[in-house]
């Protein structure tokens, strides 16, 4: 049940703009009463919880603001664990706003961004990592990152962390007991051993979580993809093909695309953040060299390289340099312009790119594009992203806390091996336990909470 007795808040919960329905939501002890004063057709105090009612919202002067459906949700089985009213308005943006104003006039306070979810957290409905997952869900851009958020929302990260903390707590309890009954000689040694063993196990689990998280990161922000190739191989054409944009910026004069273009697209549900390497377009060799330097930096930061060649032309020194530049990266190699006569020594190319398979493409006929998508899918999807294990999307806050926990656990492991007194080791151990607790919000400061929830959109 509600621990926090709060006032009643109201907000428009649907996106602002023209939509068929707009929803005004109120949450708090007076929500039903305020709605009841605006609604005439029924006494909302008397209706059952989780029911929906047809009627109208009236102005002070008895004129009608809008025809509505009102949902009455009584505490505690609600999102915020408080009484909630949802007014489904039909009259477009103006009506939605006027209904909100009517609620405020009755005494509700305009909710701050994320305040509904904050109440859900404060009242124990969600833990912190679930609340954050909800935020990701609202912002999820692709199907796969959405299902990972869903999974976190259902508590997979929390239950994992809780499990680890529980294990640590048991060890701490065991150590306390041994210290309280020091009739055995080897108390110190036993306690040291127990702390060290648990620290090793927990550290291992956290390492796994962090590994999975790097996949989560890809889902959340997109696989940073850079299309690399010497001038005129078809980079802009590919970019346009993938983003479905106009062919306007493509010409057959090398060096036409200069601005860096970044675009988020989705291939088979995998988000790719496409970054165009402007600057390696010019024909002049010295300028090309600058281009290579510039793309070196982009290549370093990329998760995926699409390396393109023009199969109608002989390999150039720049081609070879780019092959070398990308040799340690996940890369896909396209042999473009298959519709033109061959002018390239394929064996030489194969020798240069050992191990990476070639995809023959033509952006004129669309040849090979399907195959390229298959390869992207198998690189990121089959390999890691779609694996059942990606249940966690860790944000920077989670990652930092996990890393801090690992540092404390490392200190535990090191100290116990050096035979440091148990009570000192315990301090680091407890510190790690606290860090983990901050992830689920079991040990968290108010200031942090305010900051987190303010990132939500209004009405959530
Ligand atoms: P970039 O300099 O690597 O970005 O290359 P662009 O995308 O600007 O392409 C250079 C020229 O090659 C343009 O005239 C494109 O229309 C043309 N082009 C791109 N791909 C193909 C292809 O597969 N076949 C043929 N015949 N021309 C292509």
């Amino acid at each position: 049940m509600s621990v926090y007795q709060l006032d009643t808040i109201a907000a428009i919960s649907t996106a602002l703009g023209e939509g068929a329905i707009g929803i005004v939501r109120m949450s708090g002890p007076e929500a039903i009463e305020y709605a009841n004063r605006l609604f005439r057709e029924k006494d909302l105090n008397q209706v059952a919880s989780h029911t929906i009612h047809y009627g109208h919202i009236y102005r002070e002067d008895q004129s009608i603001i809008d025809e509505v459906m009102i949902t009455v949700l009584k505490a505690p089985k609600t999102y915020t664990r408080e009484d909630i009213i949802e007014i489904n308005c039909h009259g477009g943006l103006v009506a939605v706003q006027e209904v909100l104003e009517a609620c405020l006039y009755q005494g509700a306070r305009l909710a701050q961004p994320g305040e509904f979810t904050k109440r859900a957290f404060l009242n124990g409905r969600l833990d912190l990592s679930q609340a954050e997952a909800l935020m990701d869900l609202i912002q999820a851009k692709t199907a796969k990152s959405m299902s990972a958020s869903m999974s976190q929302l259902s508590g997979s990260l929390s239950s994992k962390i809780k499990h680890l903390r529980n294990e640590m707590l048991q060890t701490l309890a065991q150590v306390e007991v041994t210290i309280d009954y020091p009739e055995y000689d080897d108390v110190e040694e036993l306690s040291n051993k127990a702390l060290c063993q648990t620290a090793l196990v927990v550290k291992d689990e956290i390492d796994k979580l962090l590994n999975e998280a790097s996949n989560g990161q890809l889902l959340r922000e997109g696989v940073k993809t850079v299309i690399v190739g010497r001038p005129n191989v078809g980079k802009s054409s590919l970019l346009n093909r993938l983003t479905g944009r106009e062919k306007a910026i493509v010409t057959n004069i090398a060096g036409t695309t200069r601005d860096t273009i970044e675009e988020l697209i989705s291939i088979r549900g995998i988000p790719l953040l496409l970054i165009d390497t402007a600057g390696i377009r010019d024909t002049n060799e010295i300028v090309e060299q600058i281009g290579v330097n510039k793309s070196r930096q982009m290549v370093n930061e990329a998760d995926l390289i699409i390396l393109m060649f023009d199969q109608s032309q002989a390999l150039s020194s720049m081609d070879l340099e780019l092959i070398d530049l990308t040799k340690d990266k996940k890369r896909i190699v396209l042999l473009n312009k298959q519709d033109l006569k061959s002018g390239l020594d394929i064996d030489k190319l194969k020798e240069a790119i050992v191990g990476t398979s070639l995809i023959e493409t033509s952006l004129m006929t669309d040849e090979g594009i399907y195959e390229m998508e298959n390869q992207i899918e198998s690189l990121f999807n089959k390999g890691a992203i779609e694996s059942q294990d990606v249940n966690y999307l860790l944000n920077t806050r989670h990652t930092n806390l996990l890393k801090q926990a690992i540092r404390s656990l490392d200190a535990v492991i090191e100290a116990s091996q050096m035979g440091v007194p148990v009570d000192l080791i315990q301090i680091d151990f407890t510190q790690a336990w606290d860090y983990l607790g901050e992830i689920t919000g079991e040990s968290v400061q108010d200031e942090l909470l305010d900051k987190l929830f303010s990132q939500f959109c209004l009405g959530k």
Side-chain angles (χ1 to χ4, degrees):
M1 268 307 293
S2 249
V3 182
Y4 293 82
Q5 265 306 323
L6 299 159
D7 54 355
T8 297
I9 51 173
I12 298 172
S13 286
T14 38
L16 287 181
E18 289 304 319
I21 302 179
I23 298 176
V24 174
R25 176 149 71 167
M26 280 195 283
S27 176
E30 308 292 334
I32 297 176
E33 178 52 33
Y34 293 159
N36 208 30
R37 289 188 215 150
L38 300 169
F39 192 72
R40 299 286 138 78
E41 281 82 357
K42 267 181 203 165
D43 182 354
L44 297 176
N45 283 312
Q46 302 302 319
V47 304
S49 182
H50 293 72
T51 52
I52 188 158
H53 307 275
Y54 171 81
H56 298 86
I57 295 288
Y58 293 84
R59 295 189 184 89
E60 281 289 286
D61 65 4
Q62 309 304 317
S63 63
I64 290 174
I65 300 176
D66 199 8
E67 180 189 36
V68 299
M69 299 289 287
I70 292 193
T71 310
V72 178
L73 305 156
K74 292 186 184 167
K77 284 192 179 162
T78 67
Y79 180 59
T80 55
R81 294 271 200 262
E82 302 172 331
D83 286 344
I84 287 186
I85 287 287
E86 284 183 0
I87 308 174
N88 289 253
C89 308
H90 298 97
L93 190 57
V94 179
V96 181
Q97 271 170 347
E98 207 179 331
V99 169
L100 173 66
E101 274 160 29
C103 294
L104 300 179
Y105 183 79
Q106 290 304 325
R109 172 173 62 77
L110 185 64
Q112 313 211 320
E115 200 172 357
F116 288 93
T117 307
K118 185 175 178 180
R119 287 188 174 198
F121 168 74
L122 290 176
N123 291 328
R125 163 80 166 68
L126 296 171
D127 75 24
L128 206 52
S129 79
Q130 288 176 312
E132 286 170 301
L134 193 79
M135 195 151 70
D136 288 335
L137 198 61
I138 296 165
Q139 293 163 357
K141 293 191 181 80
T142 65
K144 283 201 176 66
S145 72
M146 182 142 139
S147 76
S149 296
M150 280 296 236
S151 163
Q152 186 170 327
L153 190 56
S154 69
S156 58
L157 178 65
S158 333
S159 60
K160 180 100 206 168
I161 298 287
K162 279 183 185 146
H163 173 76
L164 293 178
R165 289 188 92 222
N166 208 14
E167 225 162 283
M168 294 175 81
L169 198 60
Q170 275 176 16
T171 305
L172 278 173
Q174 189 191 330
V175 168
E176 285 301 331
V177 170
T178 348
I179 288 172
D180 287 347
Y181 297 93
E183 54 260 32
Y184 307 105
D185 297 337
D186 51 359
V187 165
E188 277 275 325
E189 204 187 316
L190 276 179
S191 302
N192 263 1
K193 216 168 152 189
L195 287 171
C196 181
Q197 268 172 0
T198 306
L200 282 167
V201 170
V202 172
K203 188 189 160 191
D204 190 49
E205 292 292 319
I206 296 177
D207 273 336
K208 278 191 210 146
L209 261 173
L210 284 169
N211 272 340
E212 288 175 26
S214 64
N215 288 329
Q217 192 77 11
L218 293 182
L219 284 175
R220 181 202 297 273
E221 281 161 15
V223 176
K224 257 194 207 153
T225 306
V226 177
I227 305 176
V228 179
R230 73 175 147 89
N232 236 19
V233 292
K235 297 182 295 294
S236 309
S237 310
L238 178 66
L239 195 76
N240 291 346
R241 167 67 179 72
L242 293 176
T243 56
R245 268 192 288 109
E246 291 287 301
K247 294 216 161 125
I249 54 166
V250 179
T251 71
N252 57 5
I253 305 157
T256 41
T257 319
R258 288 181 176 277
D259 297 326
T260 306
I261 301 166
E262 252 183 49
E263 194 139 7
L264 190 69
I265 61 157
S266 164
I267 289 184
R268 315 256 170 96
I270 302 161
L272 298 192
L273 186 68
L274 287 174
I275 301 157
D276 190 22
T277 51
I280 45 170
R281 300 301 150 90
D282 299 82
T283 44
N284 179 315
E285 253 189 55
I286 299 161
V287 184
E288 273 189 7
Q289 195 49 50
I290 297 169
V292 171
N293 287 337
K294 193 166 179 181
S295 43
R296 180 165 288 132
Q297 189 193 341
M298 304 188 81
V299 164
N300 280 341
E301 288 168 12
D303 306 309
L304 172 68
I305 307 293
I306 300 181
L307 179 56
M308 292 181 82
F309 299 99
D310 178 346
Q311 69 87 44
S312 70
Q313 311 243 329
L315 279 183
S316 73
S317 60
M318 186 173 179
D319 284 330
L320 295 172
E321 254 181 277
L322 292 174
I323 291 172
D324 189 56
L325 194 66
T326 56
K327 67 177 186 298
D328 297 326
K329 302 295 277 191
K330 258 187 193 154
R331 67 180 175 189
I332 286 180
V333 179
L334 306 185
L335 207 43
N336 195 36
K337 304 201 186 180
Q338 288 296 325
D339 54 300
L340 300 180
K341 212 167 86 209
S342 172
L344 178 128
D345 184 347
I346 277 253
D347 291 333
K348 190 176 168 196
L349 177 62
K350 280 189 177 153
E351 199 182 311
I353 62 159
V354 271
T356 321
S357 58
L358 279 174
I359 305 173
E360 301 186 344
T361 60
S362 164
L363 290 162
M364 290 293 146
T365 64
D366 243 18
E367 178 189 342
I369 299 298
Y370 183 78
E371 204 187 327
M372 181 195 76
E373 292 185 351
N374 280 349
Q375 241 193 57
I376 293 175
E377 189 177 31
S378 65
L379 271 180
F380 290 93
N381 207 14
K382 304 272 160 31
I385 290 190
E386 206 181 44
S387 89
Q388 293 289 311
D389 294 327
V390 184
N391 287 325
Y392 317 105
L393 283 179
L394 302 185
N395 59 27
T396 323
R397 193 182 73 86
H398 300 150
T399 312
N400 283 340
L401 287 167
L402 288 174
K403 285 184 179 158
Q404 280 175 304
I406 284 191
R407 274 198 289 278
S408 300
L409 292 170
D410 277 339
V412 170
I413 296 161
E414 199 184 329
S416 66
Q417 282 161 354
M418 281 166 29
V420 171
V422 172
D423 43 356
L424 290 181
I425 301 177
Q426 245 179 315
I427 294 175
D428 281 318
F429 196 87
T430 312
Q431 181 70 60
W433 187 73
D434 275 339
Y435 284 136
L436 293 181
E438 276 187 49
I439 292 178
T440 49
E442 280 158 298
S443 42
V444 81
Q445 305 126 8
D446 283 354
E447 194 188 333
L448 176 69
L449 280 186
D450 286 342
K451 198 162 147 248
L452 276 173
F453 287 105
S454 65
Q455 292 171 37
F456 276 80
C457 44
L458 223 68
K460 257 290 160 196

